[in-house]
Amino acid sequence: MATPSLFRQYIWLVNTINNAGKITFAEINRLWVGEEMSGGVEMARTTFNRHKDAILDIFGIIIDCDRRDGYKYYIDNQEVLRDNSIQNWMFSTISVGNVLSEGLSVQNRILLENVPSGGAHLQTVIKAMKESLMISAEYRRYGASEPKKFLMMPYCVKLFRQRWYALCRHRNGFFGVFSLDRFERVEVSDLHFDIDPDFDAAEYFSECFGIVSEVNAPAERIVLRAYDSERYFLRDLPLHHTQREIATEEDYSDFEIVMRPTFDFSSHLLSRGIMLKVIETQWLADEIYEMHLQAAEMYEE
């Protein structure tokens, strides 16, 4: 059986169990037979067990059985399907890839966004991370006429707004974030480094909006007022993991976030125009107000 076919079965099985909450093997088979890829043939118990093991090995998703509740199967670690985990990202990406591959007959009606080629260097950076080796790179910042050469310790990589970024540490201890698509050359060196044992990648960015960390800037309580449909977008796609809705009125909702109000966050607020207003803190509200004024002055000229 071809590997793509197996992956489609893995994805179908996870989605079926996850959507059901709990489901018996007989119920799984009843749904499976109704799928075109089953060929009308039931899934053997041995095949089901192999699929469970493969799903755990590839995606880290645990399918367990509750023997006290009629031998029903369920996802034991559903958090990996909700959190910003690599398992969730892999599973979602492969799921979408399968859907797109089945839609080739209407490919001219499936529109995607262009993604910069930073992924070309991703394998090199991850290889260096795995082997605890420094990377030698030439990096050209926007607006720079020539690239600069760096020797850096790759600590982690982060995907944000369709771009891959690498958090690297210089020999002087300074951390920097580099967009992989701005690298002109990246090589794994033969210089070993020891990562700080107290470093936690998720914790490092936990108070950030995106990839701008500004570790010297403290996190602050921010209250945003979302008008009309914007509040629905914020409910479905929170701006930060600390976001919570603290007030709901007929025309707007207020959301509280505790994070570092960095420049990339201010830029996002500016892009939402009249749909999003800063209620607290005052200095951030003043900053967004001034940015709106400057934008309006450009059109007055």
Side-chain angles (χ1 to χ4, degrees), residues 82-84 158 160-161 206 208-210 224 226 229-245 255-259 265 268-269 272 276:
R82 295 192 299 266
D83 298 342
N84 295 326
K158 179 179 173 66
F160 179 67
R161 298 287 172 88
S206 66
C208 306
F209 173 67
L224 304 174
S229 60
E230 187 72 13
R231 53 184 166 177
Y232 304 116
F233 289 124
L234 289 188
R235 289 169 185 162
D236 290 341
L237 296 171
L239 296 179
H240 194 253
H241 65 88
T242 61
Q243 177 181 303
R244 67 187 187 96
E245 191 167 347
F255 296 86
E256 177 191 76
I257 299 175
V258 180
M259 59 176 288
F265 181 61
H268 175 77
L269 296 180
R272 302 315 299 154
L276 208 55

Side-chain angles (χ1 to χ4, degrees), residues 1 6 118 130 137 140 156 178 229 297:
M1 184 179 295
L6 278 175
K130 290 168 60 178
R140 187 194 296 268
C156 73
F178 299 84
S229 60
E297 288 174 358

Side-chain angles (χ1 to χ4, degrees), residues 279-291:
I279 304 300
E280 298 181 32
T281 67
Q282 189 57 46
W283 75 263
L284 181 60
D286 294 340
E287 178 180 277
I288 301 301
Y289 175 77
E290 290 298 328
M291 293 172 73

Side-chain angles (χ1 to χ4, degrees), residues 171-238:
R171 283 179 163 177
N172 60 8
F174 170 75
F175 277 99
V177 177
F178 299 84
S179 175
L180 294 194
D181 65 295
R182 303 306 300 165
F183 281 123
E184 296 192 353
R185 180 189 62 83
V186 184
E187 295 177 353
V188 180
S189 76
D190 57 359
L191 298 175
H192 177 85
F193 75 94
D194 292 317
I195 192 169
D196 185 343
D198 295 326
F199 175 78
D200 185 311
E203 179 64 25
Y204 185 89
F205 288 103
S206 66
E207 295 180 341
C208 306
F209 173 67
I211 48 86
V212 179
S213 57
E214 293 187 13
V215 292
N216 294 325
E220 299 185 40
R221 178 179 182 268
I222 301 166
V223 177
L224 304 174
R225 179 159 295 172
Y227 295 93
D228 299 327
S229 60
E230 187 72 13
R231 53 184 166 177
Y232 304 116
F233 289 124
L234 289 188
R235 289 169 185 162
D236 290 341
L237 296 171

Side-chain angles (χ1 to χ4, degrees), residues 99-142:
V99 172
L100 294 178
S101 67
E102 294 171 358
L104 293 180
S105 62
V106 290
Q107 58 181 311
N108 62 323
R109 291 154 56 193
I110 300 176
L111 307 180
L112 305 176
E113 294 185 21
N114 182 44
V115 178
S117 58
H121 300 305
L122 182 62
Q123 184 176 4
T124 302
V125 175
I126 291 180
K127 182 177 186 295
M129 289 167 54
K130 290 168 60 178
E131 299 178 6
S132 297
L133 294 174
M134 299 179 72
I135 58 173
S136 172
E138 293 182 4
Y139 188 80
R140 187 194 296 268
R141 299 182 185 277
Y142 284 121

